[in-house]
Amino acid sequence: MARDKKKDKKGMDYVCPYCFHNINLDNVHRVCTNKACARMFAEKAAQSTDKKVSMLATSDGSAEIDLEKTIQNGRDPMLSPVTTEFHIVRSNSDCCDICGRRVYARVCPVCHNSIPQGAEEDGNSIFVILGPKGVGKSHYIAVLINQLKEIVAPEFNAVLSPANDGTTLKYRDMYFRRLFEEKRKLLPTKSFEESDEAREPLIYYLRVFSGDRPQVFTFAFFDTAGEDLVSATAIEMLNVDSFISKAAGIVYLVDPLQIRGINQRINMQNKPAIGPDVTDTLNNISMAIRKNRNIKSKAKIDTPLAVCLTKCDVLMKSPENEEEDKVLFGPATSLLIPRERGRCDMENVDQIDAELREYARRNIGEGFLQMVDSFEESRMFAVSALGCNPTSNSLPRAVSPFRVEDPFIWLLHKEGLR
């Protein structure tokens, strides 16, 4: 389960997958679904002489203000408040303080996003995807969600479901429709600093029906911009460290085509520019985790790390036109050995990991592997989200993913997937 989840005399701590605060499930806020209550509360609050109360309604008393969500979204409560359709009950009571009826819908007291039913029993295991600018995080997330739903869930007798309508609409409109239906590249991700939308993750629950009771895993897909990871200071200032440090597992994407030595020795159309140093970016991430969780520099980080080399379809060929074979996987790569379905095939994972570590040693450097090994548990994977090289802003053919689900099956295995 998530490493900050614990049980004590007061109840259980739960890591909110939206704001990544630890909250005690005995001390949450609730929502009354009677719309009249929000209107009645706003009218009273607007007339109150208590400033703390009056801040919870617009000046004309027409709407209740969600102060917590306003602050979480970085807005000014006086200038651009977030209003709520339903009244928020901030006391520990499970009854609405307006109508007196029982209220069942629980929300995080910090950001007011929903807490799922069964959180006490299931907890949550949150996974995040990170990587430098231009590495293909948006495409990977878009394809991964579809693969988890269509391929992984049936394999493991599971169901992948969005947490709410917001996740459903955002994925459909920003990812699936553009990529799968229109066959167009996704737009670049905006920084946390530039966009409130970037701060809203795509939340999914994977319910695995095995054993006496289902296992539940929470996926919080933050499509972070590469510039948010340029330094440990930037990570901390934008509060990106809060969700990195609480993650049960990290997928770190590396585009081999952005690495200088590979970029200069491979022939292909639409070759990307040389990108940021992948070792430095991973170091920034590890420094943020160490500082946030007070981990000493010589101690290993106990968050499982899956390093993924992206766009691997370009590298799975014989060398041609004076290309050097050491920058290619070649047609005999172990990546073409199929994994066993319905379980984490560790023999296959370890075989691929050994090959890719040697590839990284030759083409990225020993320093990168030392940084990877600063994590207690780590494996290397190679994936291709699109399966083809886009021309301009469009795809020449339909999306053809290759092994994008592998790192998540391994992370789920580390979290106890049966």
Side-chain angles (χ1 to χ4, degrees), residues 270-288:
N270 306 314
K271 188 162 56 175
I274 295 169
D277 189 293
V278 295
T279 305
D280 289 345
T281 304
L282 185 56
N283 182 52
N284 295 337
I285 293 168
S286 72
M287 287 174 63

Side-chain angles (χ1 to χ4, degrees), residues 20 27 69 105 109 127 135 140 145 155 171 190 206 302 310:
F20 282 80
N27 187 26
K69 183 161 285 189
F127 305 95
V135 76
Y140 181 74
I145 290 172
E155 270 190 41
Y171 177 69
K190 292 183 179 180
L206 181 71
D302 62 350
T310 63

Side-chain angles (χ1 to χ4, degrees), residues 49-62:
T49 56
D50 186 334
K51 188 176 180 180
K52 290 183 179 179
V53 176
S54 64
M55 285 185 66
L56 300 178
T58 56
S59 58
D60 60 359
S62 63

Side-chain angles (χ1 to χ4, degrees), residues 252-364:
Y252 180 63
L253 301 183
V254 174
D255 180 0
L257 304 179
Q258 289 186 341
I259 296 169
R260 183 177 299 277
I262 299 174
N263 185 282
Q264 293 177 339
R265 290 177 288 183
I266 191 168
N267 298 317
M268 62 174 290
Q269 293 181 334
N270 306 314
K271 188 162 56 175
I274 295 169
D277 189 293
V278 295
T279 305
D280 289 345
T281 304
L282 185 56
N283 182 52
N284 295 337
I285 293 168
S286 72
M287 287 174 63
I289 295 173
R290 290 183 186 279
K291 184 174 181 180
N292 190 286
R293 292 174 49 199
N294 196 26
I295 299 175
K296 295 181 179 180
S297 59
K298 292 184 179 180
K300 292 202 172 188
I301 298 170
D302 62 350
T303 305
L305 174 71
V307 177
C308 292
L309 303 184
T310 63
K311 307 174 186 176
C312 72
D313 57 292
V314 178
L315 304 176
M316 296 169 62
K317 64 173 185 175
S318 299
E320 57 182 332
N321 299 327
E322 300 182 353
E323 287 179 323
E324 295 185 37
D325 59 357
K326 76 174 187 177
V327 303
L328 300 170
F329 296 149
T333 174
S334 58
L335 291 166
L336 295 176
I337 301 174
R339 63 175 175 82
E340 187 174 338
R341 304 286 169 170
R343 72 179 188 92
C344 182
D345 187 345
M346 284 306 301
E347 182 178 353
N348 187 259
V349 169
D350 290 340
Q351 186 174 7
I352 291 171
D353 177 68
E355 177 185 340
L356 296 182
R357 281 177 179 268
E358 181 55 35
Y359 180 85
R361 182 174 288 107
R362 294 196 312 263
N363 293 289
I364 307 177

